[in-house]
Amino acid sequence: MPTGVALRDVREQLFDAADRILLTAGPEALTSRAVTTEAGCAKGVLHRHFADFDAFLADYVLDRAHRMDAQAARLAEAAGTGTVVANVADALTDLFESVAVAIVALVTFRDELRARLRATWPAGVPVLTEGARMIASYLEDERARGRIRADADADTLGAMLIGTGHLLFADRTGVRPSAEAVRDMVTKVLR
């Protein structure tokens, strides 16, 4: 990028570049140089907007976790429609076919990133924690409608579904689980 050319939405350009790198090459390929090259800007641009690369990564992970609000709203709107199994399976597939699996690997891969996230996110991996909350909230709505058992523990089920879903999708380079496999898992957990 030539000197003096203004960049629009620099943070978003850098975060989108990080998404592309994580999805194509994994967390080991995510470096400040790779991000700025992918974003088409000078390396100094990242360091003008973030104290260091781990600060960039922490903001990136938290941004992606907060982006789940739109997905949570769509799932909440689905309460009372379709089937509970299909709604949960679709939500899990949407979550785990996004950059979420790669973010989990990134957080696991980088000790300093985990330490920085603990300052603002006290437990768990942000995308997984938000996913579990999203599913639990939806299941609470469905429980109130009588579409799942009245004694169902939505928080525990949400965590179980996120954990089991992550195991199904964890190999980012392998074959994705079929829609039938995801629905079968959701059916068994909810049972």
Side-chain angles (χ1 to χ4, degrees):
M1 185 72 52
T3 303
V5 174
L7 295 173
R8 299 178 130 219
D9 302 319
V10 174
R11 287 173 52 91
E12 196 55 40
Q13 282 183 282
L14 294 170
F15 290 169
D16 289 346
D19 282 349
R20 291 188 298 274
I21 294 164
L22 281 175
L23 290 171
T24 58
E28 63 279 356
L30 193 63
T31 64
S32 60
R33 171 82 58 210
V35 169
T36 54
T37 299
E38 181 68 26
C41 63
K43 186 174 180 182
V45 170
L46 187 143
H47 294 287
R48 272 195 300 275
H49 293 274
F50 301 94
D52 57 30
F53 191 58
D54 284 312
F56 164 79
L57 292 174
D59 282 2
Y60 165 71
V61 169
L62 293 172
D63 178 79
R64 291 325 193 224
H66 293 303
R67 284 182 168 217
M68 292 176 62
D69 293 347
Q71 185 181 6
R74 284 191 305 275
L75 184 58
E77 289 172 9
T81 67
T83 69
V84 174
V85 168
N87 291 340
V88 171
D90 289 347
L92 289 172
T93 300
D94 288 347
L95 174 64
F96 289 119
E97 285 186 345
S98 72
V99 73
V101 170
I103 286 176
V104 172
L106 174 66
V107 171
T108 304
F109 183 71
R110 296 187 66 101
D111 295 337
E112 178 61 27
L113 174 58
R114 280 193 312 279
R116 285 182 189 234
L117 289 171
R118 289 295 161 260
T120 56
W121 200 279
V125 175
V127 291
L128 296 181
T129 305
E130 282 301 297
R133 288 179 187 154
M134 173 182 72
I135 298 292
S137 178
Y138 167 77
L139 291 174
E140 287 172 5
D141 288 348
E142 293 291 23
R143 185 179 60 207
R145 287 176 165 81
R147 289 175 29 112
I148 64 171
R149 291 176 30 178
D151 64 345
D153 181 340
D155 290 332
T156 299
L157 288 171
M160 289 173 60
L161 287 161
I162 286 296
T164 307
H166 181 250
L167 291 174
L168 282 177
F169 286 90
D171 183 2
R172 68 175 180 77
T173 61
V175 176
R176 290 292 194 216
S178 67
E180 181 180 319
V182 177
R183 283 190 306 273
D184 183 55
M185 178 274 292
V186 172
T187 298
K188 288 175 180 171
V189 170
L190 290 179
R191 193 178 300 150

